[in-house]
Amino acid sequence: MIPRQATIERKSKETHIKASLNIDGRGDRCDIRTGIAFLDHMIELFAFHGLFDLKLEVIKSDTAIDIHHTNEDIGIVLGKVFKQALADKAGIRRFGCAGAPMEATVARCVLDISGRGYFKFNIENDKLVNNGEKQEYSLNYLEHFMESFAHNLGATLCITLQNGSDDVHTNVEAVFKALGLALDQATQVDPRREGIVPSTKGIID
Ligand SMILES: [Mn+2]
């Protein structure tokens, strides 16, 4: 099989981020250095459970303001590096659907690498949306991250958080694990479809 790997470097006035990815990895050869310890932990979980070998380095950021730009730009770079590594998307399963529980909290990710960027976050208990305001991370940040990721990957991504916890860490961790599992499914090559772009249109942009 042709190696499905990519390296992306993105520089703006706000951030400078570099990412290297091997989709057909093992998940335990990652090096995540975002400067946001919480996000390092989440992205490492995502890559581990998705069996992706991922290196991600935030070379410059403006976290002296807050993590807003850095969080969003990491989502952009991560989406772009997957898109580039998937190239014409020939043979992939395209759809993925996975859930991950953390205690009573269940995160479900349903995704379609359709070429169209769309993101919807369904939170059963919307009182949770602003919880975590005083913490390093929040569900608002998670929403921005996933929106950037979905748009730049060119995927429809719907995430549902059931029985959300008061603990931000629990909620966000369940989502990143579910995303890793769902994206692993969607990016796998189905041998029955080898060399065929999985769309009746014949292309996926
Ligand atoms: Mn944890």
Side-chain angles (χ1 to χ4, degrees):
M1 196 164 71
I2 304 159
R4 300 192 298 167
Q5 300 172 352
T7 296
I8 290 271
E9 191 163 357
R10 182 180 185 272
K11 226 173 178 173
S12 75
K13 286 182 180 170
E14 295 164 347
T15 66
H16 180 188
I17 302 169
K18 202 175 164 183
S20 296
L21 168 72
N22 177 10
I23 290 182
D24 304 296
R26 300 193 329 195
D28 64 344
R29 293 179 293 210
C30 294
D31 184 11
I32 315 295
R33 281 177 280 161
T34 67
I36 305 162
F38 180 80
L39 211 47
D40 289 354
H41 176 43
M42 294 302 146
I43 294 170
E44 198 180 334
L45 284 164
F46 155 77
F48 183 86
H49 292 292
L51 296 144
F52 307 124
D53 289 347
L54 178 67
K55 286 187 172 49
L56 185 77
E57 188 187 357
V58 174
I59 296 155
K60 192 197 113 187
S61 67
D62 61 358
T63 48
I65 302 168
D66 61 23
I67 68 165
H68 185 99
H69 300 137
T70 310
N71 175 63
E72 188 174 340
D73 292 357
I74 293 167
I76 291 171
V77 169
L78 204 58
K80 283 185 191 299
V81 81
F82 271 93
K83 186 178 170 74
Q84 189 173 307
L86 286 168
D88 66 0
K89 304 173 189 78
I92 65 165
R93 291 190 191 274
R94 186 180 145 175
F95 296 89
C97 175
M102 286 276 290
E103 292 146 12
T105 299
V106 177
R108 291 184 201 283
C109 282
V110 183
L111 75 95
D112 173 15
I113 305 172
S114 60
R116 277 182 302 271
Y118 178 88
F119 176 65
K120 176 73 181 167
F121 196 11
N122 302 296
I123 303 171
E124 264 189 358
N125 177 2
D126 58 15
K127 275 192 227 134
L128 292 174
V129 172
N130 292 316
N131 96 345
E133 265 180 347
K134 292 187 186 73
Q135 301 182 49
E136 193 183 15
Y137 210 75
S138 67
L139 293 185
N140 279 323
Y141 281 137
L142 179 65
E143 188 165 9
H144 284 145
F145 182 98
M146 292 298 169
E147 194 169 30
S148 307
F149 176 71
H151 283 148
N152 286 277
L153 169 59
T156 301
L157 173 62
C158 297
I159 297 177
T160 304
L161 189 66
Q162 292 177 317
N163 230 345
S165 167
D166 288 335
D167 176 40
V168 176
H169 192 126
T170 300
N171 294 326
V172 178
E173 181 161 333
V175 168
F176 272 93
K177 282 176 175 165
L179 180 68
L181 296 169
L183 194 61
D184 178 40
Q185 284 176 18
T187 57
Q188 283 306 295
V189 171
D190 184 333
R192 295 169 300 176
R193 204 175 243 161
E194 222 178 323
I196 300 167
V197 176
S199 168
T200 51
K201 286 185 281 196
I203 61 158
I204 298 176
D205 295 311

